[in-house]
Amino acid sequence: MSLSARQEGPDRLYVITAGRSGGADETLDAVTLIVAESEPTPGMQSEHAHILRLCVSPLSVVEVAAHLGLPLTVVRILLTDLVDTGRVTARHPAPAPSPASPLTSPDVLEKVLVALHDL
């Protein structure tokens, strides 16, 4: 928990999440990238607005939590709100290609090598 969250205590975290301790999108893991799809609007919860300003460029969930100084569980709840309303998009990192991937097949690698050699 960040210094500011420790100083504010659990009451502030309760208010930020409207009393919710669960219900966060389970697919939002620490490395999921968050991208804002809209700008903050007047009257929006300040934490939601802050997230939208932060995520103009993609940021991971854990980076958003660090910038806000809030626990990851609280940030996941806030992000779920924004995903549900279409204000942010969650992008999961692409998995590393497997050894059997067509992109790493010997034929493809040989063609790339020949093309580089021809340059």
Side-chain angles (χ1 to χ4, degrees):
M1 193 180 292
S2 75
L3 181 60
S4 63
R6 279 193 300 258
Q7 290 172 342
E8 293 173 358
D11 293 344
R12 173 71 176 141
L13 299 179
Y14 182 86
V15 170
I16 289 171
T17 62
R20 295 170 291 161
S21 61
D25 186 341
E26 295 298 320
T27 64
L28 294 177
D29 59 22
V31 297
T32 301
L33 296 176
I34 304 298
V35 181
E37 298 295 339
S38 67
E39 294 187 14
T41 57
M44 177 181 276
Q45 182 176 338
S46 62
E47 291 80 12
H48 286 148
H50 194 175
I51 290 169
L52 292 176
R53 285 190 294 274
L54 282 172
C55 295
V56 173
S57 296
L59 280 180
S60 68
V61 172
V62 73
E63 288 174 305
V64 173
H67 282 286
L68 294 176
L70 293 171
L72 192 58
T73 54
V74 170
V75 171
R76 286 181 60 225
I77 292 169
L78 296 172
L79 289 171
T80 298
D81 294 342
L82 294 170
V83 167
D84 289 348
T85 59
R87 295 186 176 275
V88 299
T89 302
R91 299 179 183 169
H92 303 283
S98 68
S101 170
L103 295 177
T104 58
S105 72
D107 293 336
V108 171
L109 294 175
E110 185 176 346
K111 289 176 184 176
V112 170
L113 184 60
V114 168
L116 288 172
H117 181 67
D118 289 345
L119 290 175

